[in-house]
């Protein structure tokens, strides 16, 4: 699932020769434009996108005018960014996943999806080895390269190994019955665990457990603006999760909101 989405992001941001389509400067430009377009969606100008699902930023607005160059994007660059936002799809455009990396996460593509120095990025190396030696059964081995992934067929080959590795069962009834409490958090700008997949899991759990009220008795999900993978980023990302969980378990006080800070 996530591995396929991260592979898609890497492939989408490189040309057929394996060269990056966007530089770090290009992605910084896209990030600034996305935030400028969607910052006020939540009514607060704070340099953050409140809910990137509602962000209507289109990278095509940054495409160079005919004959122009410089502080703008090519059509191919804008298309690549749009593909990352959308997430994996087959040749007919049918989505293969819950979505992509969201507007506001572009600074985290630098180094992770596209290397700063023009070499192989973190996830280019990681996903190449994942698909060579873990995602398929049988393994294709060391000769496999990302451009060999068939987006019309190969996603169906991932089910066997995913059934062994995935922790995505939404049926938490036994956990709830035993008195368990589950406090989940996710950064909107996460480039590694894509936020829409976490939301999809939570919403599927709600359907399995009988609705939002029944679910929030023991399971709550908090989405954090401008937070990267687990922590860090432009938003207020430092939260004392353990204290909130202790208050819930030991005092029966469920968290409706959590106080976050941005350490300097």
């Amino acid at each position: 699932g996530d591995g396929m989405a991260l592979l898609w992001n890497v492939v989408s941001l490189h040309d057929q020769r394996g060269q990056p389509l966007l530089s770090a400067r290009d992605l910084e430009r896209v990030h600034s434009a996305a935030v400028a377009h969607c910052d006020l969606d939540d009514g607060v100008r704070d340099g953050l996108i409140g809910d990137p699902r509602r962000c209507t930023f289109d990278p095509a607005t940054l495409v160079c005018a005919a004959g122009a160059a410089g502080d703008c994007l090519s059509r191919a660059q804008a298309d690549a960014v749009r593909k990352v936002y959308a997430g994996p799809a087959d040749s007919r455009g049918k989505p293969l996943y819950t979505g992509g990396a969201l507007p506001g996460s572009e600074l985290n593509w630098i180094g992770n999806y596209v290397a700063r120095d023009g070499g192989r990025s973190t996830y280019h190396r990681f996903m190449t080895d994942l698909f060579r030696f873990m995602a398929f059964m049988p393994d294709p081995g060391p000769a496999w390269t990302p451009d060999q992934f068939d987006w019309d067929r190969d996603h169906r080959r991932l089910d066997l190994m995913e059934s062994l590795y995935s922790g995505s069962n939404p049926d938490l009834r036994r956990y709830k019955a035993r008195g368990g409490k589950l406090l989940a958090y996710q950064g909107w700008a996460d480039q590694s665990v894509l936020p829409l997949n976490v939301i999809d899991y939570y919403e599927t759990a709600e359907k399995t457990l009988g609705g939002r009220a029944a679910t929030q008795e023991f399971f709550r999900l908090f989405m954090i603006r401008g937070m990267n993978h687990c922590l860090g980023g432009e938003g207020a990302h430092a939260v004392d999760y353990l204290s909130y969980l202790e208050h819930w378990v030991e005092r029966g006080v469920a968290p409706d909101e959590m106080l976050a800070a941005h350490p300097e």
Side-chain angles (χ1 to χ4, degrees):
D2 251 14
M4 180 181 66
L6 296 177
L7 180 73
W8 169 270
N9 294 345
V10 168
V11 171
S12 297
L13 293 171
H14 291 78
D15 63 21
Q16 293 182 338
R17 298 173 296 119
Q19 296 301 306
L21 286 167
L22 292 98
S23 67
R25 177 70 189 94
D26 293 326
L27 290 173
E28 290 166 357
R29 182 181 302 121
V30 173
H31 177 72
S32 296
V35 171
H37 186 81
C38 296
D39 185 358
L40 280 173
D41 282 1
D42 57 1
V44 180
R45 185 177 296 282
D46 56 3
L48 303 170
I49 300 175
D51 185 345
R53 295 174 300 179
R54 297 201 301 264
C55 181
T56 60
F57 169 68
D58 185 351
T61 59
L62 299 178
V63 170
C64 304
D71 199 24
C72 52
L73 301 182
S74 69
R75 178 67 59 182
Q77 289 175 318
D79 288 345
V81 172
R82 190 183 293 112
K83 288 175 70 174
V84 174
Y85 289 159
D90 65 17
S91 60
R92 295 169 296 175
K94 178 184 176 182
L96 302 177
Y97 197 56
T98 50
L102 298 175
S105 68
E106 302 83 6
L107 297 183
N108 299 326
W109 305 3
I110 303 168
N112 286 298
Y113 303 160
V114 177
R116 285 185 178 274
D117 58 6
R120 297 302 186 196
S121 65
T122 298
Y123 281 122
H124 190 289
R125 298 191 303 271
F126 187 174
M127 293 307 120
T128 297
D129 281 346
L130 180 88
F131 283 89
R132 282 174 173 173
F133 304 116
M134 194 173 107
F136 294 129
M137 176 64 78
D139 294 327
W144 188 91
T145 54
D147 61 287
Q148 293 177 289
F149 193 90
D150 185 332
W151 297 97
D152 288 324
R153 302 176 59 185
D154 282 349
H155 61 281
R156 299 189 184 97
R157 300 172 56 200
L158 304 177
D159 292 347
L160 177 59
M161 296 307 295
E162 186 166 17
S163 69
L164 299 177
Y165 284 105
S166 177
S168 57
N169 183 355
D171 187 351
L172 303 174
R173 287 175 295 179
R174 291 175 61 190
Y175 182 76
K176 178 182 180 182
R178 294 183 61 180
K181 301 292 188 247
L182 180 55
L183 180 60
Y185 69 95
Q186 172 68 36
W188 279 120
D190 196 333
Q191 78 290 340
S192 299
V193 175
L194 301 182
L196 294 181
N197 198 43
V198 176
I199 293 172
D200 181 72
Y201 173 78
Y202 174 76
E203 292 179 341
T204 304
E206 283 192 340
K207 294 172 184 175
T208 306
L209 294 157
R212 178 152 300 183
T215 302
Q216 295 209 342
E217 290 174 2
F218 80 104
F219 178 16
R220 298 194 175 193
L221 170 63
F222 289 84
M223 303 300 296
I224 303 179
R225 294 177 298 167
M227 190 177 81
N228 299 351
H229 183 53
C230 298
L231 76 169
E234 298 177 302
H237 57 82
V239 181
D240 183 6
Y241 301 104
L242 183 58
S243 290
Y244 287 105
L245 189 58
E246 285 179 341
H247 289 171
W248 196 1
V249 172
E250 297 174 5
R251 305 180 189 177
V253 181
D256 292 319
E257 60 183 22
M258 298 190 298
L259 183 64
H262 186 112
E264 294 297 333

